Amino acid sequence: MGRTDQQLRLLAEAVQVAAALGGSLWLGGGWAMDFFLGEITRDHEDIDWFAWSDDAGVLAEGLLLHGYQPAPGPPSDLQLDFSKDGLDNSFTLLDRDMAGRVVIAGGPWAGAPWPEGMLDAGPGRIGGLECAIVSPQAQIEIKRMTPIWDPSRPRRTKDAEDITRLEAALRARGIRSE
């Protein structure tokens, strides 16, 4: 089984674990783009997720029970990192501020808002697998702004290519990308 097939299996498993625990997950990064487009566009190094910080403890327990191993990463109040079968999964934690906006849950940027409407996209799909995704507009903003928000993270060719794909798909659907 190739890496893509293994990652698709882990995507389905993580969604099932979260649902069984009453939690919510949103797919981010390149996989979110692929689920929005409905096709696999490239090889993915890892799987990026977003989850509510209130669900972090039970989500971690559920993943551990399914054979995931904790991996080193950012502070645990910001992100949970796990590995299974040699594949990395990162769960960036979300919170809401007093105004109800989705914000970064912890770490040095705690309380900073994520893009508006980030969690409003609904599900994406690849084949028979459906998964909630971060909105394509938020993905574009995150990919554009990450090197500005965190200068230690340089611009990457794959991000520019992802932005181009997402903008083209939004235009084809008559949706504004901003």
Side-chain angles (χ1 to χ4, degrees):
M1 179 184 306
R3 177 160 72 172
T4 297
D5 290 334
Q6 288 178 308
Q7 287 175 326
L8 286 168
R9 182 180 50 78
L10 291 180
L11 284 161
E13 183 176 71
V15 168
Q16 290 171 351
V17 167
L21 298 169
S24 298
L25 290 179
W26 291 266
L27 197 52
W31 274 113
M33 175 190 66
D34 284 1
F35 270 72
F36 174 70
L37 298 174
E39 65 181 345
I40 298 168
T41 60
R42 62 175 169 83
D43 184 54
H44 300 281
E45 297 170 16
D46 58 7
I47 303 170
D48 298 309
W49 297 97
F50 288 89
W52 295 114
S53 61
D54 290 347
D55 296 338
V58 294
L59 178 61
E61 288 176 25
L63 293 170
L64 290 170
L65 288 173
H66 283 83
Y68 289 74
Q69 299 297 315
S76 62
D77 62 340
L78 172 65
Q79 181 172 301
L80 302 176
D81 289 319
F82 288 91
S83 181
K84 183 172 180 180
D85 301 331
L87 300 170
D88 295 330
N89 289 261
S90 296
F91 298 82
T92 299
L93 301 178
L94 305 170
D95 203 352
R96 289 200 185 269
D97 65 10
M98 297 295 280
R101 293 177 302 188
V102 177
V103 298
I104 296 171
W109 301 284
W114 283 104
E116 189 174 328
M118 174 174 139
L119 306 180
D120 298 341
R125 176 182 298 276
I126 291 180
L129 182 55
E130 187 175 273
C131 183
I133 60 170
V134 169
S135 75
Q137 296 90 337
Q139 283 295 320
I140 291 168
E141 183 174 345
I142 291 166
K143 287 177 178 289
R144 278 194 178 131
M145 296 303 295
T146 294
I148 295 167
W149 294 332
D150 183 356
S152 71
R153 298 184 61 189
R155 295 200 183 277
R156 302 177 302 183
T157 301
K158 70 178 183 175
D159 291 329
E161 292 168 349
D162 289 354
I163 290 168
T164 299
R165 282 187 189 104
L166 287 168
E167 288 178 333
L170 289 169
R171 274 192 309 277
R173 297 175 189 195
I175 302 171
R176 289 179 47 103
S177 62
E178 298 171 12

